[in-house]
Amino acid sequence: MYPFNYHKPSSVDEAVSLFLDAEDPAYLSGGMTLIPTMKQRLAMPTDLVDLSGVQAMRGIERQDQKLVLGAFTRHAEVARSEVVAQAIPALAHLAGLIGDNQVRYRGTIGGSVANSDPAADYPAAVVALGAEVVTNKRTISSADYFQDLFETALEPGEMIVRIELPIPRRAAYRKFPNPASRYAVVGVMVAQFDNGVQVGVTGAGPCAFRASTLEAALAADLRPEALAGVDIPDAGFNADLHASAEYRAHLVGVMARRAVADLLAS
Amino acid sequence: MSATGIGAPVRRREDGRFITGAGQYTDDLHVEGQVYAVFLRSPYARARITDIDASHALSGEGVLAVLTGDDMRADGIGDIPCGWLVKQKDGSDMVSAPHPPLAHTFVNYVGEPYALVVAKTQDAARHAAERVHTDFEELQPVIDLATATDSVEIHEGVRHNLAYDWELGDRTATEQALADAAHVVRLDLVNNRLIPNAMEPRAAIGRYDAATGEHTLYTTSQNPHLARLILSAFVGIAPEHKLRVVAPDVGGGFGSKIFVYAEEAAVLWAARRLRCPVKWTAERAESFLADAHGRDHLTHVELGLNEHGRFVALKVQTSANLGAYLSTFASSVPTYLYGTLLAGQYKTPNIYVEVHGVYTNTAPVDAYRGAGRPEATYVVERVVEVAAREIGKDPADLRRMNMIQPGDFPYETPVALTYDTGDYEKSLDRALELIDYAGFSARRIEARQRGCLRGIGMSCYIEACGLAPSQLAIQLGAGVGLYESGEVRMNPTGNVTVFTGTHSHGQGHETTFAQVVSDRLGVPFEDVEVVHGDTGRVEFGLGTYGSRSLAVGGSALVKASDKVIAKARIIAAHMMDVGADDVTFDGGVFSVRDSNRSMTIQEVAFAAYVPSNYPLDLEPGLSEKAFYDPENFTYPAGTHIAEVEIDADTGVVRVVDFVAVDDFGHVINPLIVEGQVHGGVAQGLGQALLEHGRYDDYGQLLTGSYMDYCMPRADDVPQFRVDTTTTPCTHNPLGVKGCGEAGAIGSPAAIMNAVTDALGVRDLTMPATSEKVWRAIRGAKGGIR
């Protein structure tokens, strides 16, 4: 690790202003990606702005038909939250599948969503639920938020403050973990709202996306069997040591079917 | 059996310090004045070093030196030797390319060290390492094992990149028998490259005392005496009597810490040059790149059977990847530890094996848990399984009808070994009973209803352990004898310090050996302390590998204990005023026959050090040394049976049941033995389903971290069911055979036999990853049971 300046602000405004004043800063949330990268000397920020002291970024709250999660909410807090379990049990389940205990006690939803790792779990929920990403400047719709591999709509210095997730009637998340890293090779969230079914996919493409062909099939018939003939083109899908694009496309179908089955059983 | 004696399930006494963080590993040691080394490693698989510019690095604060391979050579430091000379088919010596500790001129694999930076802090050393500018001229690398012999020459003068072309057995008779066989099964097999991943990364501290000229190396070694021998006699760091090697607590080795590594030589040399202790601790990324890897074979096998299903001939042709240089025992692993095991448990009368040892621009490949024997078992047990399926015999029946029978021992195989004892059917029967073999088809049907393909597979393995009879080993090319030494020292107050030349790095010797000695001497278990891992304290030793420690090292301790008892008997007889023949010894007490006079061994020990009433012609003291050289290898054997379920939609394989029935001879501590089996099977499961060290075409390691190299975890393994059968080893005093590697040897074939059974395919290469299995299912549409 290279030396850096450490800051621990207590408000969003202070954090942003520290960030904007620094030469090559980085926000530190759970640090589950940033710290290992720094330890390997692949990242060398001049300044770390540690967000753990910003109270406004914490908390889990139900507001009418929305679940509001402070960006600094750790995965373990989501996994064991009564409020989440009542509102969107599939989200608590998803959080409990991330990494391992150590990771879940450090990693945060804001950090995960800001990083937009193609194999992270939360992005599947953000797109499937049609969440809104609230930053220090504006509210970004999930449809516009994820842009590419590790690329989001966030501007330099812009910081996620909270994430607002519409509460579906029912939802379910299925994950096919990478056997080595336990990241998602493919993860699929299926969410049923009064006005339709939304399917979010992580792991398969450069960033999380909504699977419109699956949604159309499920809109007509919300059963696993409805997905049997649906073609999932693998163009642009990720391919690595663990799974080819073709296999990932196949797994999207399998995980979607299983998620639908879970949803119906919930 | 006492609560702590031979056969008792004593909890490991060393675990307290390990699990409370009180262990003292090499990196925990802080030698006064120590400075830190960081190694510069080749980013290329094959290149010429054209320039190393250290000027920038040297200007950094706290930077003491940048030392290169050329500097090392100029100081007269020699190459790292391969400790086992294999003779080729034509009688010539194998071709061993020079292996300098620090590369100069050429680098030959990604991660090969070519220089080190030494600085006052680790940070300064790392920072400086980034500021060394090295120019390389890239050369075409040789990565692919299958085509390596037709590729450019890696080492000048090593034609076809062949270290050796080796054979064992009768080729003519084997080929004739195959030609005459009623049925011949041919199979091409891949034994995947594994990366060892001991929990503790390698580390080393070099220390030099200018006043005395003494060098001390603290290192993560499985065999400190061998490290001292090689570093003094071959690498030329310091004469043996001026070099002490200490291997303190070591956190796992699995073979990867047997070998003498460049970094060990370099820190000693640097410490002498710089006149301060130099410490290096590997990062995990370095371990992936530069610890010796394991396995990596390509094999074609042919098994001939007669019309009744009896095996008549086995022919095996293997290409073994040795990596860029021959590591310490690299040459022996795919030859004498592999070819000699190809008889397995069977009376195959004709066996022939030829092995090409091949250089590639990858990390050196050497012994890894099982070392050659898992590869041999995989070949034999896969081809036997396929044979059973092809001729329509039950796999258990085919094995049984070909097994060596209890009446056949000693049994001389066609591949140079003489098995002393065994009862292979007994283990097979017990394993079949435990797994409920007869009930399998019902379990398969039930699984199918859940969308799962269930398969069953077995493996009847044998291994040669207790390395090794020295004369035989040396005849076959070993550079050292493979006996073991031990010392049993009774202290004046009656407790015992035991010194062993083996090294415990997870095996629990401090417990097992204390059980053996306390049982033998009749002293309390708590009164026996086991010392190992320090050439300054232990006379000599060959270390721990090849499941040898108890069979060879334990036998040396028995021998030394018996010498102690013999001397103590003379003292006791003198003190009780009778002849030695009139004194019996039992449970730590010397008694005069037909009388009530007796003395404890502790009383005798005191008398030996305070000799007031003492035989005049006897030396005082009660401490005895022994060397034990085994007459033969030991031959643990057994049957492992796996049941797997495959998710037909995703191809994910889960081992849902696993039975291991092993014959380890007598068992000293069943708790430790069971733990060893669990660990070995977990590693075998890793090889079968998860682990694969892979390089790209340029020789970059693709699986260089836990993000991509898949180690087995607790939730990947089932609840193992373990049992033992016993035929005591006939030629060592404890009747023990060794248990450290059996799990890793037997399990891969059992699991792959189960996977291929579930899929109804002939073969699938390890590891059986979900995508591979999914493709097999898709390819066999309609053909899957």
Side-chain angles (χ1 to χ4, degrees):
Chain A
M1 208 179 272
Y2 297 100
F4 55 86
N5 301 310
Y6 174 81
H7 311 276
K8 191 172 177 184
S10 54
S11 72
V12 172
D13 287 348
E14 189 190 352
V16 173
S17 105
L18 282 165
F19 188 99
L20 294 176
D21 287 347
E23 187 188 335
D24 184 13
Y27 288 122
L28 175 66
S29 191
M32 291 296 89
T33 301
L34 180 59
I35 299 290
T37 314
M38 289 172 68
K39 284 172 83 172
Q40 288 172 67
R41 300 185 152 229
L42 297 171
M44 45 186 304
T46 57
D47 294 75
L48 275 193
V49 181
D50 179 355
L51 303 176
S52 65
V54 182
Q55 282 308 315
M57 296 174 69
R58 296 198 167 216
I60 298 173
E61 200 181 332
R62 183 175 181 150
Q63 295 176 359
D64 196 19
Q65 277 310 299
K66 279 190 311 192
L67 184 66
V68 180
L69 300 179
F72 203 85
T73 309
R74 301 195 194 270
H75 309 327
E77 293 170 327
V78 175
R80 64 162 186 246
S81 159
E82 273 301 313
V83 177
V84 177
Q86 289 294 321
I88 317 178
L91 189 69
H93 173 67
L94 176 151
L97 297 176
I98 299 172
D100 54 21
N101 261 320
Q102 288 85 342
V103 166
R104 290 193 289 274
Y105 274 89
R106 292 297 306 172
T108 66
I109 187 168
S112 171
V113 172
N115 191 41
S116 185
D117 187 309
D121 293 283
Y122 270 130
V126 170
V127 297
L129 298 171
E132 294 191 316
V133 177
V134 181
T135 75
N136 58 314
K137 289 189 191 169
R138 56 183 168 147
T139 297
I140 309 171
S141 147
S142 64
D144 304 324
Y145 178 79
F146 294 107
Q147 299 194 333
D148 205 342
L149 201 67
F150 298 105
E151 272 186 37
T152 68
L154 291 175
E155 289 163 6
E158 188 174 8
M159 194 175 82
I160 303 176
V161 177
R162 62 181 182 274
I163 294 175
E164 302 186 353
L165 304 131
I167 297 171
R169 271 165 58 186
R170 296 186 284 185
Y173 179 68
R174 274 286 183 147
K175 170 182 186 173
F176 187 91
N178 176 320
S181 68
R182 305 280 166 111
Y183 270 93
V185 171
V186 163
V188 177
M189 180 170 275
V190 178
Q192 181 189 22
F193 289 90
D194 290 341
N195 57 353
V197 178
Q198 302 187 165
V199 179
V201 177
T202 190
C207 62
F209 62 91
R210 289 261 299 269
S212 49
T213 53
L214 299 180
E215 290 180 356
L218 292 171
D221 178 8
L222 185 55
R223 290 185 309 132
E225 295 77 9
L227 298 176
V230 180
D231 184 45
I232 300 157
D234 62 16
F237 273 17
N238 305 322
D240 58 28
L241 281 180
H242 306 282
S244 64
E246 186 189 6
Y247 183 50
R248 277 190 160 84
H250 168 76
L251 289 175
V252 169
V254 177
M255 293 301 117
R257 287 203 301 276
R258 291 182 179 179
V260 171
D262 289 351
L263 179 147
L264 295 175
S266 67
Chain B
M1 182 180 87
S2 76
T4 56
I6 288 176
V10 182
R11 288 200 180 185
R12 305 199 326 171
R13 55 162 54 157
E14 46 269 79
D15 286 350
R17 72 175 190 272
F18 294 152
I19 63 177
T20 58
Q24 282 290 301
Y25 297 89
T26 300
D27 189 58
D28 293 325
L29 304 175
H30 289 270
V31 178
E32 182 66 29
Q34 72 188 19
V35 296
Y36 298 85
V38 164
F39 284 83
L40 293 169
R41 297 179 183 277
S42 174
Y44 300 110
R46 185 161 171 255
R48 178 195 299 274
I49 301 170
T50 53
D51 184 51
I52 300 175
D53 178 1
S55 51
H56 250 68
L58 286 167
S59 67
E61 201 185 316
V63 178
L64 301 172
V66 176
L67 303 171
T68 67
D70 279 332
D71 296 332
M72 196 176 219
R73 196 157 54 144
D75 274 3
I77 303 298
D79 290 344
I80 297 178
C82 177
W84 198 301
L85 178 76
V86 167
K87 295 272 187 193
Q88 306 204 59
K89 280 177 185 167
D90 63 8
S92 63
D93 290 350
M94 71 181 188
V95 189
S96 188
H99 181 191
L102 292 180
H104 53 77
T105 324
F106 294 101
V107 284
N108 281 307
Y109 65 95
V110 171
E112 180 176 5
Y114 64 88
L116 72 160
V117 177
V118 185
K120 286 183 179 165
T121 66
Q122 199 155 28
D123 250 14
R126 273 201 207 170
H127 193 59
E130 284 173 1
R131 303 193 341 156
V132 174
H133 186 83
T134 309
D135 286 328
F136 294 96
E137 176 195 337
E138 280 186 77
L139 301 168
Q140 188 190 334
V142 178
I143 307 302
D144 177 39
L145 175 59
T147 56
T149 53
D150 300 322
S151 305
V152 293
E153 252 175 38
I154 295 172
H155 299 288
E156 196 186 333
V158 182
R159 298 191 55 221
H160 302 295
N161 296 317
L162 259 187
Y164 51 74
D165 177 9
W166 175 87
E167 67 180 350
L168 183 66
D170 187 334
R171 177 173 205 141
T172 313
T174 302
E175 287 178 348
Q176 188 58 52
L178 280 171
D180 297 341
H183 193 89
V184 178
V185 182
R186 298 180 175 83
L187 202 57
D188 289 295
L189 295 167
V190 177
N191 205 289
N192 41 325
R193 178 181 279 243
L194 302 178
I195 302 177
N197 280 296
M199 197 184 291
E200 180 204 18
R202 288 193 291 116
I205 306 171
R207 181 183 198 176
Y208 175 69
D209 183 339
T212 61
E214 279 174 12
H215 299 66
T216 306
L217 174 67
Y218 300 92
T219 185
T220 49
S221 175
Q222 297 179 217
N223 45 358
H225 289 87
L226 193 65
R228 182 178 65 161
L229 181 63
I230 289 176
L231 287 168
S232 58
F234 297 93
V235 184
I237 294 288
E240 209 170 353
H241 66 301
K242 293 288 189 190
L243 175 58
R244 175 179 168 202
V245 178
V246 183
D249 284 334
V250 174
F254 312 109
S256 71
K257 293 172 182 169
I258 298 172
F259 325 120
V260 172
Y261 284 97
E263 295 88 352
E264 294 169 323
V267 294
L268 275 171
W269 164 66
R272 185 171 66 214
R273 266 182 77 123
L274 301 172
R275 294 289 196 266
C276 52
V278 176
K279 179 176 193 173
W280 164 77
T281 304
E283 297 189 1
R284 184 58 67 179
E286 290 182 283
S287 305
F288 273 102
L289 290 172
D291 286 5
H293 295 178
R295 317 281 193 260
D296 206 349
H297 287 192
L298 296 173
T299 293
H300 176 74
V301 55
E302 300 181 9
L303 175 68
L305 299 91
N306 71 12
E307 64 277 21
H308 307 296
R310 295 218 179 271
F311 305 155
V312 295
L314 180 74
K315 183 180 174 189
V316 176
Q317 293 161 294
T318 293
S319 277
N321 197 341
L322 302 173
Y325 301 98
L326 298 184
S327 172
T328 311
F329 287 117
S331 53
S332 63
V333 175
T335 52
Y336 291 107
L337 294 177
Y338 168 73
T340 51
L341 273 303
L342 289 167
Q345 299 187 354
Y346 311 113
K347 284 199 271 194
T348 314
N350 300 291
I351 301 177
Y352 173 75
V353 50
E354 63 182 350
V355 178
H356 288 170
V358 181
Y359 287 106
T360 60
N361 291 112
T362 63
V365 180
D366 205 328
Y368 174 60
R369 200 169 193 170
R373 292 151 291 171
E375 295 93 313
T377 298
Y378 193 68
V379 169
V380 173
E381 289 303 296
R382 284 289 297 118
V383 76
V384 165
E385 186 75 21
V386 172
R389 293 175 193 169
E390 287 189 356
I391 66 172
K393 260 201 188 321
D394 182 279
D397 292 343
L398 182 68
R399 286 176 167 90
R400 186 191 305 279
M401 67 179 283
N402 281 286
M403 277 177 176
I404 300 160
Q405 297 300 312
D408 296 332
F409 296 102
Y411 177 82
E412 197 176 326
T413 74
V415 276
L417 296 178
T418 302
Y419 301 165
D420 62 335
T421 183
D423 187 344
Y424 307 140
E425 265 194 272
K426 198 170 170 188
S427 296
L428 172 64
D429 286 337
R430 179 68 182 132
L432 292 171
E433 180 191 337
L434 278 175
I435 202 89
D436 180 22
Y437 193 59
F440 174 71
S441 56
R443 295 194 290 279
R444 167 173 277 170
I445 291 162
E446 186 277 325
R448 199 70 186 95
Q449 288 161 357
R450 290 184 278 112
C452 288
L453 309 172
R454 190 161 177 133
I456 190 166
M458 67 186 69
S459 163
C460 300
Y461 74 92
I462 190 160
E463 45 174 334
C465 296
L467 274 51
S470 294
Q471 289 200 23
L472 176 62
I474 291 166
Q475 263 171 34
L476 299 179
V480 287
L482 291 171
Y483 50 82
E484 195 45 81
S485 91
E487 180 179 351
V488 174
R489 183 186 299 167
M490 286 212 69
N491 299 313
T493 53
N495 50 31
V496 185
T497 310
V498 169
F499 301 84
T500 176
T502 64
H503 184 276
S504 187
H505 36 278
Q507 294 86 348
H509 297 169
E510 291 171 33
T511 303
T512 304
F513 288 1
Q515 285 179 259
V516 168
V517 172
S518 84
D519 195 282
R520 203 79 180 181
L521 297 182
V523 301
F525 172 73
E526 297 72 29
D527 286 356
V528 182
E529 188 71 16
V530 177
V531 175
H532 64 94
D534 183 348
T535 65
R537 297 186 71 190
V538 178
E539 181 174 12
F540 198 70
L542 275 312
T544 287
Y545 42 83
S547 304
R548 70 187 301 273
S549 299
L550 182 61
V552 189
S555 295
L557 293 177
V558 169
K559 225 174 137 177
S561 298
D562 289 350
K563 287 187 187 177
V564 166
I565 294 166
K567 183 172 179 184
R569 185 192 304 271
I570 296 169
I571 302 166
H574 174 87
M575 293 177 73
M576 294 189 286
D577 206 18
V578 293
D581 291 346
D582 294 325
V583 175
T584 61
F585 180 67
D586 184 41
V589 178
F590 292 98
S591 309
V592 178
R593 237 180 273 278
D594 305 324
S595 91
N596 59 1
R597 273 179 297 163
S598 67
M599 284 183 80
T600 66
I601 193 165
Q602 289 89 345
E603 289 168 336
V604 176
F606 185 80
Y609 287 96
V610 187
S612 57
N613 176 14
Y614 200 76
L616 280 176
D617 53 350
L618 200 64
E619 293 174 15
L622 194 54
S623 178
E624 296 290 337
K625 292 173 183 171
F627 281 72
Y628 176 81
D629 199 354
E631 282 171 30
N632 191 355
F633 294 92
T634 62
Y635 300 96
T639 294
H640 291 184
I641 306 182
E643 283 193 27
V644 302
E645 283 190 2
I646 296 172
D647 179 335
D649 288 334
T650 62
V652 170
V653 180
R654 289 204 64 80
V655 177
V656 293
D657 199 1
F658 196 97
V659 163
V661 180
D662 302 291
D663 178 356
F664 298 132
H666 286 313
V667 167
I668 307 300
N669 184 326
L671 208 54
I672 289 178
V673 166
E674 185 168 348
Q676 287 285 327
V677 173
H678 285 198
V681 175
Q683 278 174 304
L685 183 150
Q687 168 159 38
L689 301 181
L690 305 169
E691 299 183 46
H692 194 183
R694 288 177 66 180
Y695 288 92
D696 71 9
D697 295 345
Y698 305 97
Q700 296 296 330
L701 186 64
L702 295 172
T703 51
S705 82
Y706 294 127
M707 296 296 280
D708 291 308
Y709 189 85
C710 187
M711 295 292 288
R713 303 183 201 191
D715 65 354
D716 290 315
V717 302
Q719 190 71 40
F720 301 122
R721 296 192 290 144
V722 173
D723 200 1
T724 53
T725 59
T726 306
T727 59
C729 171
T730 60
H731 56 78
N732 65 45
L734 292 166
V736 296
K737 299 182 181 180
C739 69
E741 297 161 295
I745 291 170
S747 58
I751 293 168
M752 291 309 293
N753 285 340
V755 169
T756 52
D757 177 54
L759 294 171
V761 299
R762 206 164 182 267
D763 187 39
L764 197 72
T765 56
M766 295 189 290
T769 57
S770 57
E771 178 162 0
K772 241 187 244 178
V773 171
W774 171 69
R775 288 186 182 281
I777 293 171
R778 235 180 22 160
K781 258 198 182 122
I784 299 287
R785 280 174 289 205

